[in-house]
Amino acid sequence: QVHASPRRLLLRVLAVVGDLFVLAVHGVSISAGLDAVRAFWEETRQLLVEAKVHEHLVVLADAFCRLGSVTSDAVGPVEADPQCAAGEVFHGFLVDWALFAAGTFHGGGSTFVSSCGAQVRLDFVALPREWGPAVVAAEVLPAHFLAIEHKVDHKAVVATVRLAARSASSAP
């Protein structure tokens, strides 16, 4: 574990492919204001800089935003939602860290069921851009009833990646 707080968990895993950093984030809702959303992602960026994250960053995000109508190397057009203001900020974070939201290229569907039953995609698995060709699938698992909250809430987002191990001759 490198960092833990109520909205962020950053792990460093020593893996065959090199150092792997896994960041789980619970973003800030736009209802807190766009400045709060910007501050959250800037604080997240600063955490990554301070932790010396330099390669193989995977982000598991409840990003509280919608993506897809504005595409780039970071966000694809699959099952696009109109990009909201918070989505613009998250999209910029993805671009800055050379990540891509796998579900926006490979599908998966909605990830959240609101209290009025609306289904939207708010949750993303973001992978290093260079892993793009290794992504086998992206999917959203069926919803599970949360007995504590008496409702269906977020669905699990999964990205399957097939990576080759580094050979001894390619290791630094």
Side-chain angles (χ1 to χ4, degrees):
Q1 172 181 314
V2 176
H3 172 86
S5 67
R7 292 199 171 266
R8 296 175 192 87
L9 175 64
L10 178 62
L11 303 173
R12 179 180 177 214
V13 179
L14 303 177
V16 176
V17 296
D19 286 352
L20 173 66
F21 293 88
V22 180
L23 174 66
V25 295
H26 186 251
V28 175
S29 170
I30 194 68
S31 64
L34 188 54
D35 287 342
V37 172
R38 285 185 182 122
F40 173 83
W41 289 108
E42 175 55 28
E43 290 164 7
T44 302
R45 184 197 69 74
Q46 189 59 40
L47 166 69
L48 296 174
V49 168
E50 289 171 7
K52 296 181 175 61
V53 172
H54 55 279
E55 65 175 337
H56 304 310
L57 173 63
V58 172
V59 177
L60 311 172
D62 175 356
F64 275 107
C65 69
R66 297 184 187 190
L67 296 173
S69 62
V70 177
T71 61
S72 70
D73 288 345
V75 176
V78 176
E79 299 172 354
D81 285 321
Q83 183 169 288
C84 63
E88 182 178 344
V89 177
F90 181 54
H91 193 152
F93 174 85
L94 296 174
V95 169
D96 291 347
W97 285 91
L99 301 170
F100 73 100
T104 67
F105 289 92
H106 298 276
S110 64
T111 65
F112 178 77
V113 181
S114 74
S115 58
C116 64
Q119 297 193 29
V120 296
R121 179 172 56 188
L122 303 177
D123 305 278
F124 302 91
V125 173
L127 302 168
R129 198 171 302 141
E130 68 268 17
W131 289 9
V135 175
V136 175
E139 62 185 316
V140 176
L141 300 181
H144 295 282
F145 183 78
L146 299 174
I148 292 175
E149 297 185 26
H150 304 290
K151 66 178 182 172
V152 170
D153 193 52
H154 292 267
K155 301 175 193 176
V157 181
V158 177
T160 304
V161 182
R162 185 166 291 132
L163 299 172
R166 280 195 221 181
S167 68
S169 62
S170 67

